Amino acid sequence: MVKKWWKEAVIYQIYPRSFMDSNGDGIGDLKGITSRLDYLKYLGVDVIWLSPIYQSPNDDNGYDISDYRNIMDEFGTMEDFDEMLEQAHERGIRIVMDLVVNHTSDEHEWFMESRKSKDNPYRDYYIWREGKEDGSAPNNWGACFGGSAWEHDDETDMYYLHLFTKKQPDLNWENPKVREEVFDMMTWWCDKGIDGFRMDVISMISKTAEMPDGEVKDIYGNPNPYCINGPRVHEYLQEMNEKVLSKYDIMTVGETPAVTTELAKQYAGEDTHELNMVFQFEHVEGDGKYGKWTDKKVPLIQLKKIMSKWQTELYGKAWNSLFWDNHDQPRAVSRFGDDSPEYREVSAKMLATCLHMMQGSPYIYQGEELGMTNYPFRSQEEFRDIESVNAIKEWCDSGVVSMEDFWPCLLKKSRDNARTPVQWDDTENAGFTTGTPWIGVNPNYTEINAKAETADENSVFHYYKKLIALRKQNPVMVYGKYELLLEDSEELFVYTRTLEEEKLLVVCSFSDKETVFEIPDEFVGKACLIANRENAYDKKRVVLKPYEAFVLR
Ligand code: GLC
Ligand code: CA
């Protein structure tokens, strides 16, 4: 397998709004990030993925960009950015920018021009269509955050497409001028010295030209397959690669909803000249009761099946990202582990072991290294996220589901769970801000915080630190071949990784009960690389405690 620095890297995702506030306005900012770089250096991460920091009216917290070459006022200035980049580089940490180019904000200059008239030079930067004869939307596509994907614009009496909120109009990638603008902007950032791009919903940039109705699911017609993995997406990415990416030693990761392993080999193949890796969602999806909303846990057997498929099918052919959570997902320990006081720490460590020992580049979402948990929402008013707010309207206010039924789903899956401030210490507001935080701070910060965990050798933090260090010393963690054992176990996730003479056995219990495990003969008496509990692994039969995890080599 070809060796690459980004395959060996551990990536840490920062959601700037909630990371660290430097000036007391309650909103995280760039200076705040700079002030915590030493913490990240100590943890040992190689790369920061920075969620969007560009000018934005914040309809979707920065994923609606109104100016790609300026910094959001709330986050600071371009000088603050340059300083942060320099300080990160001094510590050997690279910075990967979020690139949101499926859509812009409706307050972007291009869109403000585009909507003015049918013959405006920017008209074709976006996707405009006439309504149907009765004046209704051009087709039945639904937007990802609820409602129709079409918004009527009075100015010219036409509809524009927005696969997300109506303040996020989709760019028209068919227009070569749009592609040129995007590539120029990317080049501008690369020349500034950034280290790569995480490409937001990049699998959605090409839409089927005829735009047929989708199959009706829930309330609206599902746009897939007409605007996900669309007909020209690979052509666009190859063009981007040729004109921009290939000129720099950068890391590129495509957020690719609805990607299959087959398609991943094209998006992120070893020699397809598109992206370095995909970021796919199969293991965190498909459990939905109402659209994406549910309060159920995916059964372990199903989870293993999905993850193993990605492990084996991409081996030697393409590269994947490894993650349990991010800014769009609930907290890992609350979703896949057990966030009760008794098991929070062990289960967070177990999940980390399970993920970091797999093939792919691991991502740590801010606070995950502390075992931060979901937020105990008490009322609707506490939600900030447009997706959650819209979901309440779409599912409850419309009478499809009662609030009583929907509430547990919101608690479990709202994106706001991941967006509460990072818990730095046990002072007011968890040390995140001296002002009023823009979103609630999880009250458990008095127990769970970075100050306490960096001081405690046995903390979740130190466990992550150790896993990251192990990755640097054990190429088998990066390049080894994966094989699943005990496929049918409902409690244990067990697999091996093999690279020439080196072999690892990874054993993770997802159960809150004791389980018996028989160590395969070839591993009996082997050294333990890491474990989250006190136990002896030198005999064949081990009784595993709840959420126990260990790795033998
Ligand atoms: C991606 C982002 C998400 C955002 C959406 C629209 O899925 O991760 O936060 O809301 O794209 O840009
Ligand atoms: Ca601030």
Side-chain angles (χ1 to χ4, degrees), residues 119 127 195 237 239 282 390 409 422 430 477 511:
D119 56 8
I127 303 171
D195 305 286
L237 289 175
E239 187 183 338
E282 209 179 335
N390 284 355
C409 306
V422 171
M477 279 173 73
S511 172

Side-chain angles (χ1 to χ4, degrees), residues 20-30 74-75 433:
M20 180 67 205
D21 176 22
S22 72
N23 62 352
D25 66 354
I27 297 171
D29 45 49
L30 298 182
E74 290 166 331
F75 289 174
T433 180

Side-chain angles (χ1 to χ4, degrees), residues 46-177:
D46 308 283
V47 176
I48 291 171
W49 150 23
L50 205 57
S51 276
I53 47 127
Y54 317 89
Q55 275 288 356
S56 163
N58 283 307
D59 188 50
D60 186 20
N61 285 358
Y63 284 91
D64 48 321
I65 297 169
S66 52
D67 183 352
Y68 290 100
R69 299 183 200 217
N70 269 311
I71 304 295
M72 193 191 299
D73 295 335
E74 290 166 331
F75 289 174
T77 62
M78 196 54 87
E79 285 71 55
D80 298 340
F81 179 86
D82 294 339
E83 170 74 9
M84 177 189 68
L85 187 64
E86 194 185 316
Q87 292 287 327
H89 284 169
E90 258 173 38
R91 289 165 179 76
I93 298 176
R94 292 170 151 109
I95 293 195
V96 163
M97 305 284 284
D98 218 310
L99 182 78
V100 189
V101 288
N102 173 68
H103 45 269
T104 67
S105 162
D106 64 342
E107 296 179 37
H108 193 289
E109 199 195 317
W110 300 338
F111 190 75
M112 296 199 297
E113 284 299 318
S114 183
R115 76 189 330 174
K116 280 185 185 161
S117 67
K118 291 186 186 173
D119 56 8
N120 187 284
Y122 288 91
R123 187 66 170 180
D124 288 338
Y125 273 46
Y126 294 86
I127 303 171
W128 293 95
R129 290 286 184 279
E130 302 283 352
K132 289 195 178 143
E133 239 152 65
D134 64 356
S136 62
N139 69 24
N140 72 353
W141 293 359
C144 296
F145 299 153
S148 165
W150 295 97
E151 180 71 9
H152 182 263
D153 202 46
D154 290 338
E155 204 59 50
T156 54
D157 190 25
M158 281 178 79
Y159 286 84
Y160 65 86
L161 182 74
H162 61 89
L163 294 178
F164 293 87
T165 75
K166 62 179 183 215
K167 283 185 69 60
Q168 294 168 297
D170 280 52
L171 280 167
N172 177 19
W173 275 72
E174 304 254 336
N175 182 350
K177 276 201 224 134

Side-chain angles (χ1 to χ4, degrees), residues 428-478:
E428 211 187 340
N429 295 322
F432 163 72
T433 180
T434 53
T436 309
W438 72 278
I439 189 172
V441 175
N442 197 313
N444 64 18
Y445 73 90
T446 48
E447 309 280 310
I448 305 170
N449 64 66
K451 187 162 178 235
E453 294 202 27
T454 45
D456 172 8
E457 291 269 290
N458 292 316
S459 64
V460 177
F461 176 90
H462 276 279
Y463 196 88
Y464 268 89
K465 184 166 157 61
K466 190 165 174 195
L467 278 172
I468 297 168
L470 283 174
R471 190 176 177 84
K472 305 280 175 276
Q473 299 145 14
N474 294 276
V476 60
M477 279 173 73
V478 182

Side-chain angles (χ1 to χ4, degrees), residues 110 168 174 185 214 219 226 259 279 338 356 418 473 509-510:
W110 300 338
Q168 294 168 297
E174 304 254 336
M185 176 270 287
I219 304 169
Y226 305 117
V259 70
F279 197 95
D338 184 334
H356 284 240
Q473 299 145 14
S509 168
F510 277 67

Side-chain angles (χ1 to χ4, degrees), residues 338 342-343 345-347 350 491-492 508-515 532-533 535 543-549:
D338 184 334
E342 196 180 359
Y343 295 132
E345 287 194 41
V346 272
S347 69
M350 180 281 287
E491 293 93 25
L492 301 180
C508 298
S509 168
F510 277 67
S511 172
D512 59 0
K513 313 224 162 34
E514 286 192 344
T515 6
N532 69 348
R533 293 232 188 221
N535 206 340
V543 180
L544 297 178
K545 300 189 187 93
Y547 301 109
E548 184 157 343

